[in-house]
């Protein structure tokens, strides 16, 4: 549905959920904005954020990022933020309705893939509508990955 722009060499990835593509079958992706305080942006630029156990949820007609970890910014002293607070995601009404319909289907969830800064310096979140993989699906994707790795080695040896 939505196409993600080609990666820009100027954009900096602040946090990435690398296990998401192994644990989930990604069906659609969407770029969303994040509502952050000043110390959260400074901390995010440091690159120590973690979104491994986080997810997105609909509450009160809005989309929220839950259980993401942005460590405290050490130089902010008493004006710091909570590391695990809920953060609001910025999406248009049309995208919000489309995501809500996607999640209502059985087994669908909203998984954050990565947080990055775009070319204008704004913090963005790449959100995926995904379906959880079963154990046999995970084994199959691992076999496919191993075969591709072995195939690359064989082709490299032959010249």
């Amino acid at each position: 549905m939505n196409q993600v722009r080609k990666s820009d060499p100027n954009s900096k990835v602040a946090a990435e959920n690398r296990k998401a593509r192994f644990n989930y079958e990604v069906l659609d992706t969407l770029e969303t904005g994040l509502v952050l305080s000043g110390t959260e942006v400074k901390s995010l630029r440091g690159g120590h954020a973690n979104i491994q156990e986080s997810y997105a949820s609909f509450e009160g007609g809005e989309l929220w990022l839950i259980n993401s970890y942005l460590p405290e910014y050490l130089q902010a002293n008493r004006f710091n933020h909570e590391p695990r607070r809920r953060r609001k995601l910025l999406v248009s009404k049309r995208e919000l309705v489309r995501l809500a319909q996607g999640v209502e289907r059985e087994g669908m969830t909203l998984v954050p893939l990565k947080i990055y800064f775009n070319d204008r310096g704004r913090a963005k979140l790449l959100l995926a509508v995904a379906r959880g993989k079963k154990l046999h699906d995970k084994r199959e994707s691992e076999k496919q990955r191993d075969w591709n790795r072995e195939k690359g080695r064989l082709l490299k040896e032959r010249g």
Side-chain angles (χ1 to χ4, degrees), residues 8 13 26 42 74 111 133 135 144:
D8 184 18
V13 175
V26 176
K42 292 256 190 189
L74 298 177
V111 180
K133 283 186 183 178
L135 183 61
Q144 188 67 32

Side-chain angles (χ1 to χ4, degrees), residues 38-84:
T39 57
E40 288 174 327
V41 174
K42 292 256 190 189
S43 176
L44 200 57
R45 288 196 188 278
H48 299 292
N50 186 0
I51 56 171
Q52 298 288 12
E53 298 101 23
S54 63
Y55 61 96
S57 176
F58 294 100
E59 294 176 14
E62 296 175 334
L63 192 59
W64 294 87
L65 180 65
I66 299 171
N67 204 22
S68 62
Y69 177 75
L70 291 177
E72 289 184 345
Y73 184 62
L74 298 177
Q75 288 79 14
N77 57 36
R78 69 176 187 205
F79 302 108
N80 240 324
H81 61 275
E82 279 185 49
R84 288 217 181 259

Side-chain angles (χ1 to χ4, degrees), residues 58 60-62 88 90-100:
F58 294 100
E62 296 175 334
K88 187 175 176 181
L90 303 172
V91 293
S92 68
K93 293 277 187 193
R94 182 181 300 156
E95 290 170 340
L96 189 67
V97 169
R98 188 174 58 87
L99 287 175

